Amino acid sequence: MDLDECRRRLRPLLRPATVCFVISDGAILLGLKKRGLGEGLWNGPGGKVEDGESIELAAIRETQEEMCIVPRNLRATAVLDFYFPDVPMDLGWNQRAHIFMASEYEGKPVETDEMAPKWFPLDKIPFDRMWEDDEYWLPAMLKGNFVNAEFVFDANQRMGEYAVRLD
């Protein structure tokens, strides 16, 4: 299914999700995903928004659950639509991810059942061990752009068609 078809058929069904990137002292805090979607890849903490929960509170909760820190002064930095047309809908992989950045946090990053945290210098982000889409939007976000993007992935989590817009 191409991007236009995904927009028509899957956009109304996207599940709201969050990702939070903590940036401090010229480094970005990433977590090695230990299970589930994206297992074995570096990413920011995040996940689904629970019923009745705001998107910002979901980002804080997920960061706290996955890395044992509380991000402060979140700033919305991107909205990314992820389409997996070859994956059964009930798995919930089709999602609209609301991306946040925080430069302050409370606590110390700790490994959990979900993620193993590690700081990376901003000039040494491990794009070769992250989702393929990250290199197309994350650098622009780090430069201060608000990013709107859409990505189509196959059942093997390989990226196909995409569109990135900077605001």
Side-chain angles (χ1 to χ4, degrees):
M1 188 180 307
D2 69 8
L3 183 54
D4 287 334
E5 179 99 5
C6 286
R7 287 174 179 143
R8 282 192 300 280
R9 294 178 58 194
L10 299 177
R11 183 179 280 163
L13 307 173
L14 294 176
R15 178 186 76 175
T18 67
V19 178
C20 182
F21 291 100
V22 176
I23 314 291
S24 183
D25 297 324
I28 185 168
L29 181 61
L30 300 175
L32 183 63
K33 190 82 159 90
K34 295 168 61 176
R35 64 180 182 196
L37 181 62
E39 181 178 346
L41 299 175
W42 292 100
N43 201 357
K48 65 182 177 179
V49 178
E50 294 180 355
D51 289 339
E53 183 178 43
S54 75
I55 292 167
E56 186 171 310
L57 285 178
I60 293 168
R61 176 185 52 76
E62 288 285 348
T63 303
Q64 193 169 14
E65 289 174 1
E66 294 180 356
M67 291 191 175
C68 300
I69 62 171
V70 179
R72 296 287 181 219
N73 301 319
L74 293 183
R75 184 168 53 95
T77 56
V79 175
L80 311 175
D81 290 347
F82 295 103
Y83 301 110
F84 291 84
D86 302 328
V87 174
M89 286 298 295
D90 61 338
L91 291 179
W93 288 15
N94 295 293
Q95 55 189 275
R96 172 165 284 169
H98 299 266
I99 312 301
F100 293 91
M101 194 162 39
S103 58
E104 300 173 20
Y105 63 95
E106 292 178 15
K108 180 182 177 192
V110 174
E111 184 171 346
T112 64
D113 290 344
E114 189 80 24
M115 292 188 123
K118 182 177 177 180
W119 289 98
F120 290 90
L122 290 173
D123 62 350
K124 291 186 173 37
I125 296 173
F127 288 111
D128 61 329
R129 294 177 283 147
M130 298 173 73
W131 283 93
E132 283 181 79
D133 62 278
D134 290 337
E135 68 180 311
Y136 294 94
W137 66 269
L138 186 57
M141 181 198 83
L142 292 172
K143 289 179 183 171
N145 294 292
F146 190 91
V147 179
N148 282 289
E150 301 167 288
F151 302 94
V152 180
F153 285 86
D154 66 19
N156 296 315
Q157 301 176 21
R158 301 298 303 174
M159 190 177 79
E161 203 173 343
Y162 67 92
V164 177
R165 293 171 306 284
L166 305 180
D167 295 333

